[in-house]
Amino acid sequence: MAACAATLFDTKPGWTARVAERNAALLAQQPMRRRGVRTPEVIFAHHIDNTRLVKAPDPVRARQMRIFSAAATVLFSLVMVYGLQHFNAIENSYRIESEKQVRDQLREENRQLRLTEAQLSQPGRIDGMARQLGMSEPQPGQVVRATSHFDSSAPVMAQNNAPQPNPVN
């Protein structure tokens, strides 16, 4: 121990040079000590047959993998169901908007048709057009109204009861 203390506190100018010289010598000897003195490096091909090796079953690891797989499957299923519902809601909202537009268009068309019907069914207009075409008011007894019940005293409209000929192909 006294020798270590003496070299440690040695303050001569050659002390650092001696330490550097010793470190360089040790560094140069390291490769030879690892491989031996001038041993040529030779690599032999060695074929290893692992066909007889059997992996030992690990029930703990297998159980962990089953639990993880089940959890991942459940999570994936939940995400897919959420996505399906989300996209269905978006699709339904677009469909509802387009059907509202169609409904509004149909309401406007219905309003236009009712207005046209009211204009065309005015009795004064119909009477004026009939007079332009040379029509006159019907004479009493000229108009026959069809009824659901049969009245033997009322005039009967003509009917064709003749058998129809069969068409020849």
Side-chain angles (χ1 to χ4, degrees):
M1 181 117 165
C4 286
T7 56
L8 184 61
F9 295 110
D10 189 14
T11 57
K12 293 181 184 176
W15 181 73
T16 56
R18 280 186 289 145
V19 169
E21 188 177 290
R22 175 152 169 75
N23 285 342
L26 288 175
L27 187 62
Q29 290 176 358
Q30 280 182 356
M32 286 190 285
R33 286 187 179 167
R34 278 191 213 132
R35 294 190 205 137
V37 179
R38 295 184 187 165
T39 304
E41 195 167 319
V42 178
I43 298 174
F44 295 100
H46 187 344
H47 299 287
I48 299 173
D49 182 21
N50 286 336
T51 57
R52 293 182 305 262
L53 294 179
V54 178
K55 184 178 177 184
D58 187 5
V60 174
R61 180 70 175 160
R63 183 172 183 270
Q64 288 174 347
M65 290 305 295
R66 281 194 304 269
I67 290 172
F68 175 76
S69 298
T73 302
V74 167
L75 179 65
F76 178 76
S77 299
L78 289 175
V79 168
M80 287 296 120
V81 167
Y82 170 76
L84 181 67
Q85 288 178 346
H86 179 72
F87 291 126
N88 279 342
I90 291 172
E91 182 181 347
N92 286 339
S93 67
Y94 281 123
R95 186 175 45 82
I96 288 170
E97 281 300 316
S98 68
E99 288 178 2
K100 282 181 181 178
Q101 289 177 352
V102 168
R103 182 195 63 194
D104 293 341
Q105 289 173 351
L106 290 175
R107 281 184 177 170
E108 178 61 26
E109 184 179 347
N110 193 11
R111 190 185 70 77
Q112 290 291 334
L113 289 173
R114 285 184 182 172
L115 182 63
T116 304
E117 178 189 21
Q119 289 174 350
L120 293 176
S121 65
Q122 290 178 353
R125 180 184 168 279
I126 294 173
D127 188 43
M129 288 180 71
R131 290 189 193 278
Q132 285 178 353
L133 294 173
M135 296 182 179
S136 62
E137 292 184 19
Q139 300 299 321
Q142 189 179 4
V143 176
V144 177
R145 301 199 188 269
T147 59
S148 61
H149 64 281
F150 181 73
D151 186 11
S152 62
S153 63
V156 178
M157 297 182 69
Q159 294 181 355
N160 183 9
N161 290 334
Q164 297 291 329
N166 291 335
V168 179
N169 289 338

